[in-house]
């Protein structure tokens, strides 16, 4: 039986006509506000940062539509910016080691520290290297993760994978993969050869890194891009991987793949992603609002759970939100108060942040990587 509508649910014909007439009488500019098209905000970033699981709430609240341009590495990012007119990208996500290059080339705007929730960040991230230059802020670190040994749990135990030496295990011949980027791979080889600060090494140490790396070449089954890394680990084509960590294996593990990552005894590397406002952006205020959102406690918990790839976040209050929303993921990534959590690992000196080489130039490392791949 149909229930009669209550007065609160009922709009009679007269009230409908009155309301309609009021709208039609509204000046044209105001009427557009009832159904205005969303403002487009361009984002240059790694894949995933402008997908619905991250941006949908912000888009709805601010009548914004992100238009992403995704890249696959820092050099690719710099190339895209250099070939684009100023103001092309409103928001730029870059790995921390590339922020200074962006700033030096005049590609990003200076940020006002007081506009952001830096006091909510762990102390180690409030003055994060690369974000600042000469006391001025040009980017804000929003997420990070660790790089170690990724491995197939059917092929290796955690104990076996807890040293970079495992890459030379005879049972892995032809089954070791490289994420195709020289900085993480050679940084790991530098840790293995005993360099506590892997990117600040003299020429003798650099020669030792090269020599050790070349001995690994017979073990290597391939050099893979982002997608290839996922698939080759997922299908068991590769049983161990250098140059990556939970940002890859965490996604696969959630989907049932028998893979994990571990920080080996020689230590691990930290990748760090930072947001900047593109130089000449006509929507800088809206870009600032986005960075404020994604670096807030709520935005940080969302970023940690990104569908494309998970990450640890630097906002301590973001950890608290994640613990309440998704305690299993907080525990899995080490964002709890338990001993041995992500910050404990950093403070114990087990993690070194990835950066450009200091005593060699970047091209020297890149040239050797090309030589190694062709060996």
């Amino acid at each position: 039986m149909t229930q009669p509508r209550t007065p609160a649910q009922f709009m009679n014909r007269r009230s409908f006509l009155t309301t309609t007439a009021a709208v039609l009488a509204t000046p044209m500019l105001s009427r557009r506000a009832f159904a205005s098209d969303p403002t487009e905000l361009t984002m240059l970033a790694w894949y995933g940062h402008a997908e619905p699981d991250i941006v949908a709430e912000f888009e709805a609240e601010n009548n914004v539509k992100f238009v992403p341009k995704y890249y696959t590495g820092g050099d690719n990012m710099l190339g895209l910016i250099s070939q684009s007119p100023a103001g092309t990208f409103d928001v730029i996500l870059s790995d921390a080691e590339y922020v200074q290059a962006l700033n030096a080339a005049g590609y990003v705007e200076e940020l006002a520290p007081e506009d952001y929730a830096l006091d909510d960040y762990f102390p180690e991230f409030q003055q994060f290297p690369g974000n600042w230059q000469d006391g001025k802020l040009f980017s804000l670190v929003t997420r990070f993760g660790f790089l170690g040994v990724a491995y197939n749990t059917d092929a290796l135990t955690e104990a076996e994978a807890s040293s970079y030496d495992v890459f030379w295990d005879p049972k892995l011949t032809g089954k070791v993969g490289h994420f195709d980027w020289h900085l993480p791979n050679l940084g790991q080889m530098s840790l293995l050869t005993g360099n506590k600060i892997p990117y600040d090494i003299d020429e003798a140490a650099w020669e030792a890194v090269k020599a050790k790396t070349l001995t690994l070449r017979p073990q290597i089954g391939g050099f893979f891009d982002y997608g290839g890394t996922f698939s080759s680990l997922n299908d068991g084509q590769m049983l161990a991987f250098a140059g990556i960590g939970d940002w890859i294996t965490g996604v696969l593990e959630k989907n049932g793949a028998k893979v994990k990552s571990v920080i080996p005894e020689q230590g691990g590397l930290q990748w760090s992603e930072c947001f900047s406002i593109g130089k000449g952006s006509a929507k800088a205020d809206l870009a600032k609002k986005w960075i404020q959102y994604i670096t807030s406690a709520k935005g940080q918990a969302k970023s940690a759970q990104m569908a494309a790839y998970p990450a640890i976040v630097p906002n301590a209050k973001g950890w608290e939100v994640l613990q309440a929303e998704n305690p299993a993921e907080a525990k899995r990534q080490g964002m709890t108060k338990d001993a041995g959590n992500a910050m404990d690992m950093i403070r114990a000196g087990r993690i070194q942040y990835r950066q450009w080489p200091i005593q060699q130039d970047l091209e020297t490392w890149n040239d050797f990587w090309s030589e190694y791949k062709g060996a």
Side-chain angles (χ1 to χ4, degrees):
M1 176 178 176
T2 302
Q3 296 295 320
R5 286 189 285 177
T6 65
Q9 295 170 319
F10 182 76
M11 175 183 280
N12 62 31
R13 183 173 181 272
R14 177 175 293 178
S15 63
F16 172 79
L17 292 173
T18 301
T19 302
T20 302
V23 172
L24 291 174
T26 305
M28 182 63 70
L29 183 62
S30 298
R31 293 212 309 266
R32 288 197 187 109
F34 282 94
S36 63
D37 292 332
T39 300
E40 290 189 345
L41 201 62
T42 56
M43 180 192 292
L44 182 63
W46 284 92
Y47 174 76
H49 285 269
E51 295 305 298
D53 63 302
I54 300 299
V55 303
E57 181 181 68
F58 181 85
E59 287 181 330
E61 291 177 351
N62 296 278
N63 195 29
V64 167
K65 179 63 179 176
F66 277 99
V67 179
K69 176 66 176 178
Y70 290 133
Y71 62 81
T72 56
D75 295 339
N76 179 223
M77 175 205 63
L78 288 175
L80 287 168
I81 297 176
S82 68
Q83 297 162 19
S84 304
T88 298
F89 303 110
D90 299 307
V91 180
I92 298 171
L93 179 96
S94 68
D95 293 287
E97 57 266 41
Y98 283 86
V99 173
Q100 292 301 322
L102 291 174
N103 183 31
Y107 293 149
V108 294
E109 298 281 2
E110 182 181 349
L111 306 180
E114 62 272 16
D115 287 340
Y116 305 97
L118 281 170
D119 288 344
D120 294 343
Y121 274 37
F122 289 105
E124 290 84 353
F125 290 93
Q126 293 180 11
Q127 295 284 330
F128 191 69
N131 286 179
W132 299 78
Q133 185 170 346
D134 300 327
K136 297 179 179 180
L137 183 67
F138 290 92
S139 69
L140 206 59
V141 58
T142 58
R143 61 204 313 260
F144 64 96
F146 302 148
L147 308 174
V149 174
Y151 64 100
N152 184 298
T153 56
D154 282 343
L156 297 170
T157 66
E158 182 174 332
E160 288 175 316
S162 292
S163 171
Y164 292 116
D165 288 320
V166 74
F167 294 141
W168 283 261
D169 191 317
K171 69 182 177 183
L172 297 181
T173 300
K175 295 291 185 178
V176 178
H178 277 300
F179 181 60
D180 193 5
W181 187 11
H182 56 89
L183 281 181
N185 287 282
L186 297 180
Q188 290 185 337
M189 293 299 102
S190 185
L191 286 170
L192 175 59
T193 56
N195 301 307
K196 297 298 184 184
I197 304 177
Y199 298 97
D200 189 3
I201 57 177
D202 61 22
E203 287 307 303
W206 170 234
E207 290 300 321
V209 168
K210 293 194 293 181
K212 182 65 175 178
T213 304
L214 286 169
T215 68
L216 182 58
R217 190 63 183 86
Q219 294 288 99
I220 301 304
F223 298 81
F224 299 90
D225 61 10
Y226 179 82
T229 299
F230 271 101
S231 61
S232 62
L233 271 173
N234 187 56
D235 63 17
Q237 179 187 356
M238 296 294 113
L239 300 180
F241 237 93
I244 63 167
D246 188 69
W247 72 282
I248 293 282
T249 58
V251 176
L252 293 170
E253 189 179 354
K254 288 179 183 178
N255 292 330
K258 295 182 177 180
V259 294
K260 286 185 179 292
S261 291
V262 65
I263 302 304
E265 61 191 33
Q266 297 92 351
L269 303 173
Q270 177 182 312
W271 59 266
S272 314
E273 292 177 343
C274 310
F275 267 119
S276 301
I277 298 175
K279 194 74 171 183
S281 168
K283 303 161 189 171
D285 286 344
L286 194 54
K288 178 179 74 173
K289 195 171 185 179
W290 161 252
I291 299 176
Q292 290 172 329
Y293 170 85
I294 201 63
T295 58
S296 69
K298 178 174 67 173
Q300 288 279 274
K302 190 183 296 291
S303 184
Q305 302 173 80
M306 181 188 288
Y309 58 103
I312 308 166
V313 294
N315 186 315
K317 291 185 178 179
W319 282 34
E320 294 174 5
V321 174
L322 181 64
Q323 289 162 18
E325 290 181 351
N326 192 344
E329 183 63 8
K331 182 177 181 179
R332 194 189 71 78
Q333 291 204 62
M335 284 184 277
T336 69
K337 295 180 180 179
D338 297 338
N341 64 37
M343 292 307 303
D344 285 346
M345 293 182 69
I346 292 173
R347 291 163 180 167
R350 294 200 62 209
I351 304 296
Q352 302 296 322
Y353 64 86
R354 193 181 64 204
Q355 58 183 312
W356 281 2
I358 294 174
Q359 298 189 46
Q360 298 81 37
D361 57 38
L362 190 63
E363 289 73 18
T364 297
W365 282 46
N366 194 31
D367 288 347
F368 170 70
W369 186 245
S370 297
E371 174 191 338
Y372 171 66
K373 288 169 63 177

